[in-house]
Amino acid sequence: SKVIDLCVNARSYALITASQIDEYLASFVLSPSLAQGLIQRNCELAKRNLDVVQSFIDKNASVCEWARPVGGPIGFIRFSRSGKPVDDLELCTALLEKRGVLLVPGRKCFGDGVNFSGYVRLGFGGDTNELKRALETFQIFLQEDYANVPLST
């Protein structure tokens, strides 16, 4: 969709290079005196959020599944209906337009030439309360709008 393409382009443009100030701050934060605490904090956050997402997956096992990540705060979730994958681009577009929650369609993660029908990318390394609110909103979408998401062709 146009919205997702705009987001991808904006992200690429904004992250193509880092400023000198950003590089200085990164080197300061990653200095030996601060890095261990930061790493521990982020690992605890990722584990807590992983449990939140796993709870969502368990609650909605009839429509979604994943291979639980073991190395980072990003998940690749497969959504289906009656055993068939839904159109991941349509799912993400409808979720964004109707509920304001942004996920990345699987086919946009790795290109249109790779078949990841029904898969969406979910980053869960941020604030736990925001993640919970987003998943609660997603839950409402699943109850009220998911039946209208077309299956993948």
Side-chain angles (χ1 to χ4, degrees), residues 110-138:
F110 302 106
D112 291 323
V114 181
N115 186 4
F116 285 109
S117 297
Y119 284 89
V120 301
R121 179 187 175 274
L122 169 69
F124 54 90
D127 181 78
T128 302
N129 290 328
E130 287 183 24
L131 175 64
K132 286 178 179 179
R133 282 192 301 274
L135 291 176
E136 288 167 3
T137 302
F138 196 179

Side-chain angles (χ1 to χ4, degrees), residues 74-90:
I74 297 174
F76 212 42
I77 305 168
R78 182 180 185 266
F79 285 88
S80 61
R81 201 168 49 250
S82 302
K84 297 180 180 163
V86 299
D87 185 310
D88 48 290
L89 184 57
E90 292 292 330

Side-chain angles (χ1 to χ4, degrees), residues 1-147:
S1 98
K2 291 180 183 178
V3 172
I4 292 173
D5 289 338
L6 287 171
C7 291
V8 169
N9 289 338
R11 181 179 185 270
S12 296
Y13 180 76
L15 298 177
I16 202 162
T17 185
S19 73
Q20 289 180 344
I21 293 172
D22 292 333
E23 290 176 4
Y24 174 78
L25 289 174
S27 66
F28 174 73
V29 169
L30 295 175
S31 66
S33 62
L34 296 176
Q36 193 57 40
L38 180 65
I39 292 169
Q40 182 177 348
R41 176 199 163 275
N42 286 345
C43 287
E44 290 170 2
L45 176 65
K47 182 176 179 345
R48 181 171 58 246
N49 289 352
L50 176 62
D51 292 340
V52 170
V53 176
Q54 185 65 59
S55 177
F56 175 84
I57 299 282
D58 292 345
K59 183 176 183 176
N60 296 289
S62 64
V63 297
C64 66
E65 63 183 337
W66 73 342
R68 184 180 167 106
V70 295
I74 297 174
F76 212 42
I77 305 168
R78 182 180 185 266
F79 285 88
S80 61
R81 201 168 49 250
S82 302
K84 297 180 180 163
V86 299
D87 185 310
D88 48 290
L89 184 57
E90 292 292 330
L91 170 65
C92 292
T93 301
L95 182 60
L96 178 61
E97 290 175 353
K98 293 179 181 291
R99 304 295 171 173
V101 175
L102 178 63
L103 294 174
V104 181
R107 71 176 106 167
K108 292 295 182 181
C109 289
F110 302 106
D112 291 323
V114 181
N115 186 4
F116 285 109
S117 297
Y119 284 89
V120 301
R121 179 187 175 274
L122 169 69
F124 54 90
D127 181 78
T128 302
N129 290 328
E130 287 183 24
L131 175 64
K132 286 178 179 179
R133 282 192 301 274
L135 291 176
E136 288 167 3
T137 302
F138 196 179
Q139 185 69 49
I140 294 167
F141 176 88
L142 289 177
Q143 294 165 347
E144 298 179 3
D145 304 305
Y146 186 70

